[in-house]
Amino acid sequence: MFPMVSIILPAYNRENLILETLNSVTAQTYQTWECLVIDDGSTDRTAEIVKDFARKDPRILYHLRPDLYPKGACGARNYGLSLSKGEYIQWLDDDDLLGPNKLELQVMALENSDKNLVATCAWDLFWHGKTLELNDILDGIEFTDCEGFFSKMTKTRSFIPPLAYLTPKKIAIEAGEWNTKLRINQDAEYFTRVILASNKIINVKNCYVLYRSHEAKRISSEKNSERLYSLIYSLRLMHAHLKAKKIESKSFFNMKLQRVFFGFWHSDKEVLEKHSFFFKEHDINLKLSRYYMLRYYIYKKIYPLYKKYLK
């Protein structure tokens, strides 16, 4: 008997992309799955496209997010999880793609291992016409614990997108729901809890997922501030989750907060200063901001010349 995988797919106004995403689901070599498409209130043809697809494949299940669950992808995901019947949970956004053997190889790896593991795999940031260049962040590592995982994220200065994971449902339940108050970095906060609820992460070879790149959109400074508050809040939650388990993660948060500092210091200085204690706890003293900016400016000027010289 093959275990069921519940693919939870929040959807919102993706009439131009969701068909490609659903095709990547039905193309799976592993056939025992249900795909719960949770419509977050689309006003385009998304619902029509999904319902038409579902008529051809009854494993595709269309649901409209009820008002009981907050609007947004996180609310839709939480509703999808409440409906799911599978032993494993595959999170998938409405514009991303699963490699054809992704579910098969990850289910096989988890079924043949300790049941309290989470699986991940290689991925690529993609757009049409791009050559496939897979990122295998945990390359050379078969199993790692939470500390090893965050250490690897720090060294590679990278991340693993949500669709690369396959999570046993019991771990997803233990980890808790997606945080609907976060506007950005929700996935990192959520998967911190998932990883902490598992014994280890297993890196499954020879499969991959594709994480779509979109053109950046201009947002107002007010929107920037809202996103910044959410970003810092998510990082503080992640830090609290790890600290509660006595897991050392200073280097990881130093790396993340450096990015926040250089990205927002000129536009949202007041917001950063309200969290100065959190920065200082991770060896970033905002009173030295001029020194940091000068050093960053010099690096940006000199490093490209250094790379050119090495060539």
Side-chain angles (χ1 to χ4, degrees):
M1 192 73 178
F2 296 105
M4 170 75 76
V5 176
S6 293
I7 303 166
I8 301 175
L9 198 165
Y12 181 71
N13 286 353
R14 288 293 194 203
E15 63 178 9
N16 59 328
L17 294 174
I18 197 165
L19 192 59
E20 190 177 2
T21 298
L22 291 174
N23 280 329
S24 82
V25 171
T26 57
Q28 290 299 299
T29 56
Y30 190 80
Q31 294 293 303
T32 311
W33 51 263
E34 61 174 359
C35 182
L36 300 159
V37 181
I38 312 300
D39 191 341
D40 195 34
S42 298
T43 56
D44 64 358
R45 294 182 57 252
T46 294
E48 179 186 338
I49 291 168
V50 175
K51 288 177 181 178
D52 182 60
F53 206 103
R55 280 190 283 271
K56 301 170 188 173
D57 192 328
R59 294 173 298 176
I60 305 289
L61 306 167
Y62 174 87
H63 297 274
L64 185 63
R65 175 192 52 77
D67 292 338
L68 178 65
Y69 288 83
K71 182 171 177 55
C74 289
R77 291 180 185 117
N78 291 337
Y79 179 52
L81 182 62
S82 75
L83 298 174
S84 65
K85 298 176 181 177
E87 294 177 47
Y88 294 101
I89 302 297
Q90 169 67 59
W91 303 106
L92 180 62
D93 284 351
D94 55 8
D95 56 348
D96 296 333
L97 306 177
L98 301 175
N101 62 350
K102 197 267 188 187
L103 294 183
E104 179 183 5
L105 294 189
Q106 287 191 327
V107 168
M108 188 185 306
L110 289 173
E111 285 291 297
N112 292 329
S113 304
D114 179 344
K115 298 288 182 170
N116 208 45
L117 297 182
V118 174
T120 189
C121 67
W123 64 279
D124 192 19
L125 191 67
F126 86 107
W127 52 90
H128 285 294
K130 180 182 182 294
T131 303
L132 189 64
E133 298 176 282
L134 294 178
N135 293 294
D136 193 353
I137 305 301
L138 299 179
D139 185 33
I141 300 174
E142 184 178 3
F143 295 96
T144 185
D145 58 14
C146 192
E147 280 190 273
F149 177 84
F150 280 96
S151 175
K152 191 68 173 179
M153 294 302 101
T154 305
K155 289 177 182 176
T156 59
R157 303 183 74 84
S158 188
F159 69 102
I160 296 177
L163 72 160
Y165 293 91
L166 186 68
T167 307
K169 186 175 181 179
K170 66 176 184 178
I171 292 179
I173 296 298
E174 184 180 342
E177 294 188 332
W178 288 72
N179 190 324
T180 57
K181 294 182 179 180
L182 295 178
R183 294 173 57 86
I184 190 172
N185 210 41
Q186 311 98 317
D187 52 345
E189 189 275 332
Y190 174 77
F191 277 101
T192 296
R193 289 185 274 124
V194 167
I195 291 168
L196 285 170
S198 65
N199 290 339
K200 287 185 178 180
I201 305 101
I202 181 171
N203 186 36
V204 180
K205 297 286 190 179
N206 302 317
C207 59
Y208 66 90
V209 294
L210 298 177
Y211 185 62
R212 192 181 297 270
S213 172
H214 295 281
E215 286 187 22
K217 296 181 180 178
R218 292 188 63 188
I219 52 178
S220 67
S221 58
E222 179 182 1
K223 190 86 167 184
N224 259 332
S225 294
E226 290 176 9
R227 287 167 64 86
L228 176 57
Y229 271 114
S230 180
L231 177 56
I232 294 176
Y233 179 38
S234 69
L235 290 172
R236 289 183 60 183
L237 284 173
M238 291 168 64
H239 179 250
H241 300 327
L242 293 168
K243 195 172 182 178
K245 297 287 187 177
K246 295 182 171 54
I247 293 175
E248 174 56 47
S249 51
K250 180 173 280 191
S251 296
F252 174 81
F253 287 101
N254 176 271
M255 179 263 291
K256 289 291 185 182
L257 289 172
Q258 280 189 48
R259 290 182 176 177
V260 173
F261 172 81
F262 290 120
F264 290 92
W265 181 251
H266 287 306
S267 61
D268 292 277
K269 185 184 300 185
E270 289 95 358
V271 177
L272 299 188
E273 287 177 336
K274 287 179 182 178
H275 298 274
S276 59
F277 64 93
F278 186 53
F279 282 85
K280 194 168 185 179
E281 184 179 355
H282 294 95
D283 298 330
I284 300 173
N285 187 343
L286 296 185
K287 292 180 180 179
L288 301 176
S289 59
R290 289 186 179 180
Y291 163 71
Y292 296 145
M293 295 306 296
L294 177 61
R295 189 175 66 177
Y296 184 65
Y297 174 79
I298 293 171
Y299 169 79
K300 295 287 281 186
K301 289 289 184 181
I302 292 178
Y303 185 65
L305 297 175
Y306 174 70
K307 285 184 70 177
K308 187 176 180 181
Y309 172 76
L310 288 180
K311 289 181 179 179

